C-alpha cells in the first residue's frame, strides 16, 4: 500500500533541488526588479554564463570547488559591467528601453557562448565527493542533489541574514521600497544599484554552476530557465525575498511532479499555478498590494 | 489627407506589381516583410498609442497561425484561413487581457510574457498539434473561387489583406477611441477621473491588437506552409517589439519600416556569417542606447515622436 512513498519522496527531493536552483536565480531577478524597476531578461544569460564558466574552470583547475567559487565572481563582474556600461545611461528612459537592452544582451551572450564553447550540449561531472547516490526511505537519491539542497538552503539563510539583519541589507530593502527617498537620505544608491545587480548576476551564475552536473550546459539554457524564474517572481510577489523563496519551492515541486504524473501537460502546470495565484492574489504571495 | 490616400494607394499598387519585375526570392522577402509589418503595426497600436508594452504578443500571432494551419488541412476556405484565426486570437487576447490589464508598466510586461509562454508549453506538448514539430504541409486556401496556391494570386491576396489590416489600424488610431487611448497613455489617472472606463478601453485595444496579430499569424502559416511552437516563443515577441522600436513607436508606418529593416538586416547578416545573433544583439543594444526614436524619430530629427 505504501509503495508509492519512495517515489513521491524521491520526486519531492528532485523538486526541492530544482526549487533551490530557481531560488538562487530569482533572488537577483526580484531584487533587481524591486530596486531598479527592470525586468532583466538577461538574467537567464548569467545562469548560462555560470554553467559555461564552471565547465571551463573545472577543465582548467580540475576541481568543481574552484569553479563554484570563481565562476560566480566572474559572472558578477560581467553583471557589474553591464549595469555600469549599458543600463546606467537608461535609468531616465521608459522601462521598455531597459527591457529591450537586456533582450539584446540575451542574443549577444547566447551567441558568444556558441562561439566560444560550441552549440552542442556539454555534460558537467559531479564533484567526486558527491558522485554516488544514497538511499533514504527506500528512495535512491543522487547524493549531489542532497548537496544542492543543503548548499542552497545555507545560501538562503545567509541571504536572509544579509538582507534582513544587516545595515547593508537595510539599505537594499530601503532601495527596493523607494529608491528616490533612499537617495534623499544621503545614501549612494548608484553604488547600491551596481552592487545589487552584480550580486544578483553572481547568484544566477552560482545557480548555473550548481545546475551544470544536473542539467548539463547548452546555449539556449538561459533563455529557457528565464520563464520559470519570472513565474517564480510573479507568484512570490515582486521585490520580495520571502516570496521568491516560497515561489521557487512551489514552482520547483509543481514542475517536477508534473513531469512525473502528467507527462503530456507537464509544461503547462506552472502557468496554471501562476494564473491561480493571480486570480486570488494579484500582487503575488508576499508582494505589496498593487496600486 | 487626400495626398496621403493617394500615396497609400500608389504604395499598394507598387507592391502589387512587384513580382512582375522581380525574382522569386525578393518577392518572398517582401511578403515576409509585409506579414511581420502587420504584426508589428498591431503591437504599435498597444505600445505606441495605448502605452501598453506587451512582451507576449507572439501568443496571438501563434494562435492565429495554429488555427489557420490546423483548419486549412481539412477545409481550405476563407473561414479557416482568416475568420476563425482572427476570432480565436481575439478570444485569447480577451482572456489574457482580463488578467493583465489590471497592472501596468514592468509588471504588465512580465505577465504578458508569462502568458504567451503558456501557449508555447501547450503547443510544444500537444500531440494533436504536432508537438515540437508543429503543423506542416499547410495548403493555401481557395477564396472566392481563386486558388491561392498560384504565387501571383497569393501575392495579391496577401497585399490586399495587409492593406486592409493597415487601414483598420489607421482608422482605429484616428478615431475618438484612438484619442482616448493616447489620453490613457499620457495620463491614466486623469482619464479615469474624467470618467472614461479606462480598463474597458485598454481591454478593447488589447483585443483589436490580438485580432490583427492573429490575422498576421494566419497569413504567416499560409505563406510558409507550416507553423511550429517557436511562433509562440518569447523571443518572437521580443523581435516584434524591436521592429516597432527600430521603426519608431506611435507611428504605424514606422512599425512596418522597422519590420522591413529587421528582416533585411537579419537576411543580410545571416548570409555573410553564422554570428548573426551576435551582430543583431549588438545592433539592438546600440539602437536602444543611441537612437531611442527609431528610424522615424531619426528622420524627424528627434522631435515629435508621437503620431
Amino acid at each position: 500500500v505504501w509503495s508509492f512513498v519512495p517515489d513521491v519522496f524521491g520526486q519531492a527531493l528532485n523538486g526541492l533541488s530544482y526549487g533551490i536552483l530557481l531560488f538562487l536565480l530569482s533572488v537577483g531577478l526580484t531584487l533587481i526588479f524591486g530596486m531598479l524597476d527592470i525586468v532583466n531578461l538577461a538574467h537567464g544569460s548569467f545562469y548560462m554564463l555560470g554553467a559555461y564558466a564552471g565547465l571551463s574552470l573545472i577543465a582548467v583547475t580540475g576541481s568543481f570547488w574552484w569553479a563554484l567559487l570563481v565562476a560566480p565572481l566572474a559572472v558578477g563582474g560581467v553583471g557589474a559591467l553591464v549595469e555600469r556600461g549599458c543600463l546606467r545611461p537608461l535609468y531616465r528612459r521608459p522601462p521598455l528601453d531597459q527591457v529591450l537592452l537586456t533582450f539584446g544582451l540575451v542574443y549577444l551572450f547566447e551567441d558568444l557562448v556558441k562561439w566560444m564553447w560550441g552549440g552542442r550540449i556539454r555534460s558537467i561531472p559531479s564533484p567526486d565527493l558527491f558522485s554516488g547516490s544514497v538511499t533514504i526511505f527506500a528512495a535512491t537519491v543522487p547524493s549531489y542533489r542532497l548537496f544542492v539542497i543543503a548548499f542552497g538552503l545555507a545560501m538562503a539563510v545567509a541571504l536572509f541574514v544579509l538582507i534582513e539583519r544587516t545595515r547593508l541589507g537595510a539599505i537594499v530593502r530601503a532601495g527596493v521600497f523607494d529608491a528616490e527617498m533612499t537617495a534623499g537620505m544621503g545614501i549612494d544608491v548608484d553604488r547600491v544599484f551596481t552592487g545589487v545587480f552584480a550580486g544578483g548576476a553572481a547568484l544566477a551564475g552560482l545557480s548555473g554552476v550548481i545546475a551544470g552536473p544536473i542539467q548539463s550546459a547548452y546555449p539556449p539554457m538561459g533563455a529557457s530557465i528565464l520563464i520559470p524564474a519570472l513565474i517564480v517572481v510573479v507568484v512570490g510577489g515582486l521585490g520580495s525575498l520571502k516570496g521568491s523563496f516560497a515561489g521557487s519551492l512551489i514552482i520547483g515541486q509543481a514542475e517536477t511532479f508534473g513531469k512525473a504524473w502528467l507527462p503530456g501537460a507537464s509544461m503547462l502546470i506552472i502557468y496554471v499555478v501562476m494564473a491561480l495565484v493571480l486570480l486570488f492574489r494579484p500582487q503575488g504571495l508576499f508582494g505589496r498590494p498593487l496600486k | 489627407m487626400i495626398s496621403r490616400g493617394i500615396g497609400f494607394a500608389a504604395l499598394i499598387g507598387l507592391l502589387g506589381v512587384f513580382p512582375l519585375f522581380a525574382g522569386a526570392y525578393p518577392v518572398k522577402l517582401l511578403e515576409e516583410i509585409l506579414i511581420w509589418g502587420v504584426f508589428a503595426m498591431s503591437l504599435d497600436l498597444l505600445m505606441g498609442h495605448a502605452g501598453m508594452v506587451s512582451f507576449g504578443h507572439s501568443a496571438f500571432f501563434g494562435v492565429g497561425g495554429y488555427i489557420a494551419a490546423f483548419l486549412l488541412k481539412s477545409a481550405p476556405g476563407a473561414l479557416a484561413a482568416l475568420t476563425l484565426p482572427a476570432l480565436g486570437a481575439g478570444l485569447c487576447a480577451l482572456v489574457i487581457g482580463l488578467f493583465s490589464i489590471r497592472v501596468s508598466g514592468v509588471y504588465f510586461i512580465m505577465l504578458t510574457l508569462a502568458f504567451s509562454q503558456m501557449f508555447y508549453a501547450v503547443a510544444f506538448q500537444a500531440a494533436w498539434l504536432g508537438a515540437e514539430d508543429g503543423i506542416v504541409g499547410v495548403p493555401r486556401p481557395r477564396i472566392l473561387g481563386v486558388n491561392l496556391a498560384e504565387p501571383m494570386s497569393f501575392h495579391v491576396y496577401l497585399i490586399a489583406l495587409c492593406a486592409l489590416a493597415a487601414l483598420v489600424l489607421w482608422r482605429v488610431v484616428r478615431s475618438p477611441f484612438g484619442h482616448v487611448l493616447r489620453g490613457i497613455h499620457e495620463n491614466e489617472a486623469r482619464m479615469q477621473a474624467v470618467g472614461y472606463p479606462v480598463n474597458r478601453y485598454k481591454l478593447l485595444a488589447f483585443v483589436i491588437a490580438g485580432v490583427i496579430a492573429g490575422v498576421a499569424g494566419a497569413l504567416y502559416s499560409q505563406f510558409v506552409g507550416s507553423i511550429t511552437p517557436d511562433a509562440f516563443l518569447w523571443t518572437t515577441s521580443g523581435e516584434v517589439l524591436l521592429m516597432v522600436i527600430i521603426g519608431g513607436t506611435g507611428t504605424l508606418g514606422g512599425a512596418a519600416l522597422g519590420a522591413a529593416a529587421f528582416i533585411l538586416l537579419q537576411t543580410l547578416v545571416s548570409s555573410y556569417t553564422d554570428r548573426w545573433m551576435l551582430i543583431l544583439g549588438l545592433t539592438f543594444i546600440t539602437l536602444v542606447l543611441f537612437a531611442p526614436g527609431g528610424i522615424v524619430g531619426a528622420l524627424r530629427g528627434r522631435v515629435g515622436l508621437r503620431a
Side-chain angles (χ1 to χ4, degrees):
Chain A
V1 183
W2 298 100
S3 60
F4 66 91
V5 170
D7 180 45
V8 169
F9 184 72
Q11 294 293 354
L13 280 183
N14 280 347
L16 188 57
S17 65
Y18 179 52
I20 293 284
L21 292 178
L22 283 178
F23 170 68
L24 292 176
L25 200 60
S26 59
V27 167
L29 204 56
T30 203
L31 288 182
I32 290 169
F33 178 89
M35 194 170 228
L36 310 176
D37 217 20
I38 289 178
V39 181
N40 178 22
L41 297 177
H43 210 66
S45 307
F46 293 141
Y47 170 84
M48 169 193 69
L49 287 176
Y52 277 95
L55 179 77
S56 287
L57 282 162
I58 292 171
V60 171
T61 64
S63 159
F64 177 83
W65 308 109
W66 275 110
L68 190 65
L69 183 72
V70 178
L73 294 177
V75 177
V78 174
L81 282 177
V82 165
E83 198 274 342
R84 285 270 149 145
C86 302
L87 284 170
R88 174 134 313 173
L90 300 183
Y91 286 149
R92 287 174 183 283
R93 301 251 205 97
L96 174 65
D97 285 9
Q98 296 138 21
V99 176
L100 283 175
L101 184 104
T102 62
F103 182 63
L105 289 172
V106 171
Y107 275 24
L108 180 72
F109 285 134
E110 187 170 327
D111 216 31
L112 276 177
V113 162
K114 267 189 204 152
W115 200 0
M116 291 173 67
W117 282 280
R120 288 175 300 112
I121 294 191
R122 306 278 296 267
S123 64
I124 298 174
S126 319
D128 291 339
L129 193 56
F130 298 107
S131 56
S133 57
V134 286
T135 306
I136 319 168
F137 294 126
T140 310
V141 184
S143 55
Y144 184 71
R145 301 250 168 164
L146 296 180
F147 159 72
V148 169
I149 293 169
F151 181 80
L153 289 177
M155 285 300 297
V157 171
L159 273 170
F160 272 109
V161 172
L162 179 71
I163 301 280
E164 303 288 338
R165 293 281 179 271
T166 65
R167 192 182 133 75
L168 184 67
I171 293 174
V172 171
R173 276 181 291 133
V176 169
F177 192 78
D178 188 339
E180 213 168 290
M181 192 57 119
T182 313
M185 305 298 276
I187 285 164
D188 184 356
V189 280
D190 278 1
R191 273 174 59 200
V192 181
F193 282 178
T194 311
V196 167
F197 198 89
L203 283 172
L206 180 70
S207 184
V209 180
I210 295 179
I214 300 178
Q215 313 199 323
S216 302
Y218 49 99
M221 67 192 290
S224 50
I225 196 79
L226 178 73
I227 306 301
L230 278 180
I231 291 178
V232 164
V233 173
V234 171
V235 166
L238 304 171
S240 159
L241 190 62
K242 262 186 240 160
S244 135
F245 189 70
S248 302
L249 297 191
I250 293 170
I251 294 300
Q253 296 297 352
E255 191 160 338
T256 307
F257 276 98
K259 273 188 188 137
W261 291 350
L262 284 171
S266 60
M267 289 167 74
L268 191 61
I269 288 180
I270 56 175
Y271 300 98
V272 175
V273 173
M274 178 183 77
L276 283 177
V277 169
L278 285 174
L279 264 183
F280 297 106
R281 255 186 99 78
Q283 73 270 38
L285 296 175
F286 290 91
R288 271 185 276 154
L290 300 167
K291 282 161 281 176
Chain B
M1 178 70 203
I2 291 171
S3 66
R4 267 193 185 213
I6 293 170
F8 187 70
L11 179 67
I12 297 302
L14 217 60
L15 294 176
V17 297
F18 187 70
L20 298 181
F21 46 86
Y25 183 66
V27 171
K28 261 198 142 36
L29 215 54
L30 172 70
E31 289 175 349
E32 194 173 347
I33 287 172
L34 287 171
I35 293 170
W36 284 89
V38 170
F39 186 24
M41 282 194 287
S42 73
L43 181 60
D44 189 44
L45 171 69
L46 285 184
M47 277 172 68
H49 297 274
M52 301 157 75
V53 179
S54 164
F55 216 106
H57 213 45
S58 64
F60 315 121
F61 185 77
V63 166
Y66 262 93
I67 293 181
F70 187 77
L71 296 178
L72 280 174
K73 294 205 86 163
S74 47
L79 198 67
L82 296 166
T83 319
L84 292 174
L87 283 178
L91 195 68
C92 291
L94 183 70
V95 176
I96 296 181
L98 281 173
F99 272 96
S100 318
I101 54 155
R102 288 184 292 179
V103 298
S104 56
V106 187
Y107 201 16
F108 182 76
I109 293 178
M110 265 168 109
L111 279 190
T112 47
L113 197 162
F115 276 115
S116 70
Q117 285 309 105
M118 187 170 81
F119 288 91
Y120 177 77
V122 172
F124 195 85
Q125 289 193 317
W128 58 283
L129 292 175
E132 30 178 327
D133 299 326
I135 300 177
V136 291
V138 179
R140 287 187 179 166
R142 263 187 99 83
I143 289 175
L144 303 173
V146 182
N147 182 6
L148 298 180
E150 202 273 308
M152 189 62 201
S153 54
F154 184 76
H155 184 75
V156 171
Y157 159 79
L158 197 68
I159 301 260
L161 277 165
C162 291
L164 184 69
L167 275 176
V168 168
L169 284 171
W170 192 75
R171 281 302 308 161
V172 169
V173 163
R174 291 295 156 121
S175 68
F177 173 75
H179 287 289
V180 175
L181 288 186
R182 275 186 298 282
I184 293 171
H185 188 179
E186 293 291 330
N187 191 333
E188 186 169 337
R190 188 186 297 161
M191 293 304 277
Q192 187 101 51
V194 171
Y196 285 101
V198 165
N199 279 352
R200 231 180 289 164
Y201 274 87
K202 283 164 93 173
L203 188 60
L204 185 57
F206 201 71
V207 171
I208 294 174
V211 167
I212 304 273
V215 171
L219 289 175
Y220 182 75
S221 63
Q222 293 162 51
F223 166 69
V224 183
S226 63
I227 186 107
T228 63
D230 281 2
F232 287 116
L233 212 54
W234 66 273
T235 46
T236 305
S237 297
E239 283 170 2
V240 73
L241 252 167
L242 280 167
M243 292 175 189
V244 177
I245 298 289
I246 293 173
T249 53
T251 59
L252 291 175
L257 264 181
F262 184 98
I263 286 167
L264 290 176
L265 182 72
Q266 189 180 26
T267 313
L268 192 73
V269 173
S270 60
S271 68
Y272 281 108
T273 163
D274 290 339
R275 299 269 73 85
W276 70 269
M277 273 177 77
L278 186 109
I279 295 179
L280 281 185
L282 279 174
T283 311
F284 299 149
I285 291 168
T286 316
L287 275 173
V288 173
L289 281 173
F290 302 111
I295 298 173
V296 174
L299 291 179
R300 288 192 189 157
R302 300 197 180 182
V303 284
L305 294 183
R306 294 215 173 75

